[in-house]
């Protein structure tokens, strides 16, 4: 879970930017209290990217505008809004969002969402995708997102897989590296981050503008600080999980966090 305490902790441990969890565009628009319930922030929680999902351009644009107003008026600012086109979970399949919008029949719809959101807000619109069936398909789709107004593309180097079989094998970083050479917008690589050495290796092999970690940072919240130490020729510190857990607990005390979420992080 990308709760405020954990986002702040990862920033203290070297993350340059943090994303919220994925929020539902229809709930943002229809439920007046939804944003207050699901999103909190602090002056320390910047740069901040709010992640949203949906499949209707008008609804997504309205949600983006509401997110921007809420973050600017009631929180501590906002740096970008991202359309999640990578979620492979059953809820995404049932709701027809996330990675289930990657099929070619939905490309026009997705590009309409990007354009509508880009026109509705002042902050950049970002997208996160997975690899498609072929290199040519992934490139064609990425170029269309770029032309529609996407300002930064995060690429998870695996295909969607299936509900039955899930993902198999490591992320294909060669495909991310190829996309980086073909796009004019920044590209972030997602996948294969298990330790600090992976962060450095992924940046070198892909030429990406950054790397994103989800599962990896849950098990080692200091992975980015350690990677920066490696780049400086130093031995990575904070390798003791207990040390990291105690610091997260301090953040959870500073930014009160429900016990079940704290337990999830400390038990990772």
């Amino acid at each position: 879970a990308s709760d405020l305490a954990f986002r702040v902790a990862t920033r203290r441990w070297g993350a340059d930017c943090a994303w919220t969890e994925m929020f539902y565009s229809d709930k943002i628009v229809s439920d007046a209290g939804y944003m207050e319930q699901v999103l909190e922030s602090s002056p320390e929680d910047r740069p901040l990217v709010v992640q949203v999902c949906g499949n209707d351009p008008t609804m997504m644009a309205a949600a983006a505008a509401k997110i921007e107003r809420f973050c600017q008026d009631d929180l501590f600012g906002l740096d970008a809004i991202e359309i999640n086109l990578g979620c492979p979970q059953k809820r995404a399949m049932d709701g027809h969002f996330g990675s289930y919008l990657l099929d070619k029949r939905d490309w026009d719809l997705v590009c309409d969402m990007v354009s509508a959101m880009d026109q509705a807000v002042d902050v950049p619109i970002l997208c996160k995708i997975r690899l498609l069936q072929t290199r040519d398909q992934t490139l064609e789709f990425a170029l269309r997102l770029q032309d529609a107004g996407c300002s930064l593309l995060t690429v998870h180097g695996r295909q969607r897989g299936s509900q039955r079989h899930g993902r198999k094998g490591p992320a294909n970083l060669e495909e991310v590296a190829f996309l980086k050479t073909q796009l004019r917008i920044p590209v972030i690589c997602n996948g294969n981050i298990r330790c600090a050495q992976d962060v450095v290796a992924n940046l070198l092999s892909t030429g990406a503008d950054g790397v994103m970690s989800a599962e990896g940072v849950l098990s080692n919240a200091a992975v980015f600080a350690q990677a920066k130490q490696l780049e400086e020729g130093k031995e990575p510190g904070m390798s003791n999980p207990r040390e990291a857990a105690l610091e997260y607990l301090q953040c959870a005390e500073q930014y009160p966090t429900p016990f079940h979420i704290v337990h999830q992080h400390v038990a990772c």
Side-chain angles (χ1 to χ4, degrees), residues 15 17-20 49 51 82-84 126-129 152-158 171 173 176 187-194 198-199 202-203 206 208-217 223-224:
C17 186
W19 275 244
T20 68
V49 180
Q51 191 179 183
E82 182 182 79
I83 305 172
N84 185 311
L126 321 182
C127 295
K128 181 181 180 183
I129 68 171
L152 178 149
L153 186 67
T154 297
V155 184
H156 183 88
R158 294 183 178 89
L173 301 186
V176 180
V187 173
I188 293 181
C189 178
N190 178 220
N192 292 2
I193 299 296
R194 298 171 298 275
D198 291 336
V199 174
N202 284 16
L203 285 170
T206 64
D209 298 280
V211 296
M212 174 185 286
S213 175
E215 294 178 6
V217 79
V223 66
F224 292 116

Side-chain angles (χ1 to χ4, degrees), residues 34-263:
Y34 179 69
M35 291 305 299
E36 289 85 350
Q37 295 170 10
V38 298
L39 180 59
E40 58 179 343
S41 187
S42 75
E44 200 174 354
D45 191 29
R46 299 287 299 276
L48 179 66
V49 180
V50 174
Q51 191 179 183
V52 64
C53 65
N55 58 22
D56 178 85
T58 301
M59 185 75 72
M60 290 286 278
K66 190 170 181 179
I67 290 169
E68 186 176 54
R69 287 195 306 272
F70 175 72
C71 290
Q72 300 292 0
D73 295 345
D74 299 322
L75 296 181
F76 299 91
L78 172 71
D79 296 279
I81 298 171
E82 182 182 79
I83 305 172
N84 185 311
L85 299 169
C87 180
Q89 298 176 10
K90 186 177 185 299
R91 58 175 173 158
M93 180 178 68
D94 294 341
H96 194 58
F97 60 83
S99 65
Y100 295 92
L101 291 173
L102 294 179
D103 297 329
K104 196 164 188 175
R105 64 176 179 270
D106 288 316
W107 288 5
D108 287 343
L109 171 64
V110 172
C111 290
D112 287 345
M113 290 196 304
V114 175
S115 296
M117 294 172 70
D118 187 47
Q119 295 172 29
V121 295
D122 293 326
V123 297
I125 298 299
L126 321 182
C127 295
K128 181 181 180 183
I129 68 171
R130 287 175 173 264
L131 298 179
L132 278 65
Q133 292 296 316
T134 67
R135 170 177 284 191
D136 288 345
Q137 286 181 355
T138 306
L139 175 60
E140 182 182 356
F141 184 53
L143 288 170
R144 289 196 58 181
L145 292 176
Q146 177 178 265
D147 291 342
C150 175
S151 295
L152 178 149
L153 186 67
T154 297
V155 184
H156 183 88
R158 294 183 178 89
Q159 295 181 14
R160 181 175 62 209
S162 67
Q163 290 299 311
R164 184 173 182 181
H165 298 293
R167 66 186 186 189
K168 292 183 178 179
N172 188 341
L173 301 186
E174 291 183 4
E175 295 303 310
V176 180
F178 171 73
L179 282 177
K180 173 57 187 171
T181 67
Q182 303 298 308
L183 299 175
R184 65 177 183 271
I185 59 176
V187 173
I188 293 181
C189 178
N190 178 220
N192 292 2
I193 299 296
R194 298 171 298 275
C195 62
Q197 288 78 4
D198 291 336
V199 174
V200 177
N202 284 16
L203 285 170
L204 289 174
S205 65
T206 64
D209 298 280
V211 296
M212 174 185 286
S213 175
E215 294 178 6
V217 79
L218 286 174
S219 60
N220 178 14
V223 66
F224 292 116
Q226 293 170 349
K228 291 176 180 178
Q229 290 168 337
L230 284 175
E231 290 181 323
E232 295 169 356
K234 303 176 182 177
E235 284 296 317
M238 197 183 278
S239 58
N240 186 342
R242 183 175 181 274
E243 184 181 356
L246 288 174
E247 186 154 355
Y248 167 68
L249 290 175
Q250 292 175 0
C251 291
E253 183 178 17
Q254 180 180 355
Y255 302 107
T257 306
F259 175 79
H260 71 280
I261 294 178
V262 174
H263 182 266

